């Protein structure tokens, strides 16, 4: 995240891509989503999905990994350039999480965050609430996952009296 | 899930509890949320959280595991009793995912699903949309996580003409 005042509605961050292997799909499913179509190719082929696919929560978690790494990289660059780093607060939550298409073994999902709203906090001086939409598209450009997230970011702006 | 017509608004399912160990918190974080306060006790102690805590997506994923296992167990019981099993469709998504309190290493979270709405589908005969709220509370009874989920469930009811 940038400082609140540097974030513009419409700004897009391409945070990265990930190819989901059958092995990692099954490993995540064994730990967190043990349904047959996430665990076994044969069972998945017989299901209405027609093939092994990632748990929706796996796709979501991979976004989180790429997002954290993206911002860690961006912040290292800021530090290297002698710039200060914004404080980022805990997320007040997520909305409208949708799995729009299956993520099959071998699919590559590319994740983009887009700022869709920002509002200076009146109750917490020095903070602003940023709303963004994440979209993950597969190698054919089709939307596979999206959600709306919210995060508090440090601000130098002063609320109007 | 039960058949649509057997699900009542207000019905609660206690789907299970889980104690988050430091080891698994770090393992999840290394894979999906590599922030210092999820990875290292010393870094976490120095953070504003004051101690090692689970990634919010880890808490969420543990709910999924317990939820899947709970329904697999319930369905085996139905099968053993010679009862038929409802078809369950893919989830159209989740809303209002909130992390209300940190989940620290050693915390035990107990998850409950409560049916908060149901609506027969007009466009997909034989299916109904069920809305539920999940709440995860810690060993002190404090809410740590909640969300609103939606799922399509098989129905024998006929929509009114």
């Amino acid at each position: 995240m940038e400082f609140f005042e540097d974030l513009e509605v419409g700004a897009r961050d391409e945070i990265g891509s990930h190819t989901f292997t059958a092995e990692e799909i099954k490993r995540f499913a064994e730990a967190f989503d043990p349904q047959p179509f996430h665990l076994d190719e044969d069972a998945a082929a017989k299901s209405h999905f027609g093939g092994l696919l990632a748990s929706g929560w796996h796709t979501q978690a991979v976004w989180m990994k790429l997002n954290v790494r993206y911002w860690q990289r961006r912040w290292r660059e800021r530090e290297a350039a002698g710039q200060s780093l914004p404080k980022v607060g805990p997320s007040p939550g997520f909305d409208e999480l949708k799995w729009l298409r299956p993520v099959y073994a071998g699919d590559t999902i590319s994740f983009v965050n887009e700022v869709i709203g920002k509002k200076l906090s009146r109750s917490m001086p020095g903070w602003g609430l940023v709303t963004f939409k994440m979209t993950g598209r597969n190698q054919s450009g089709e939307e596979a996952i999206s959600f709306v997230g919210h995060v508090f970011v440090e601000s130098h702006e002063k609320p109007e009296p």
Side-chain angles (χ1 to χ4, degrees), chain A:
Chain A
M1 288 284 129
E2 315 283 336
F3 282 97
F4 180 80
E5 57 272 21
D6 298 327
L7 282 160
E8 286 181 27
V9 172
R12 287 160 49 91
D13 288 292
E14 299 185 6
I15 61 158
S17 298
H18 182 82
T19 301
F20 288 75
T21 67
E23 187 204 342
E24 66 177 321
I25 286 174
K26 295 184 211 174
R27 196 167 53 227
F28 186 96
E30 278 160 19
F32 298 114
D33 193 349
Q35 300 187 77
F37 37 76
H38 298 318
L39 287 170
D40 182 84
E41 277 90 346
D42 290 342
K46 288 175 197 145
S47 76
H48 60 283
F49 294 114
L52 188 75
L53 76 161
S55 166
W57 299 109
H58 185 185
T59 316
Q60 171 57 42
V62 166
W63 166 79
M64 187 66 190
K65 175 176 72 175
L66 294 175
N67 187 57
V68 168
R69 289 197 178 153
Y70 175 83
W71 288 108
Q72 288 173 340
R73 198 163 59 235
R74 290 280 301 270
W75 289 339
R76 278 197 301 272
E77 291 167 3
R78 285 185 78 101
E79 282 189 306
Q83 298 173 315
S84 59
L85 299 184
K87 284 184 234 165
V88 178
S91 170
F94 282 75
D95 284 309
E96 300 175 41
L97 176 53
K98 293 175 191 166
W99 296 290
L100 301 157
R101 272 186 189 76
V103 174
Y104 291 106
D107 278 357
T108 298
I109 306 296
S110 300
F111 298 92
V112 173
N113 299 346
E114 181 176 350
V115 178
I116 60 170
K118 53 182 285 192
K119 194 177 167 196
L120 208 55
S121 174
R122 291 194 160 271
S123 55
M124 297 194 297
W127 292 90
L129 184 64
V130 175
T131 300
F132 65 98
K133 181 172 181 183
M134 179 283 269
T135 306
R137 292 176 184 273
N138 63 23
Q139 61 281 359
S140 305
E142 301 165 320
E143 289 189 19
I145 185 171
S146 69
F147 65 73
V148 172
H150 311 278
V151 65
F152 281 103
V153 181
E154 187 181 359
S155 172
H156 297 116
E157 285 183 42
K158 294 268 180 293
E160 289 173 27

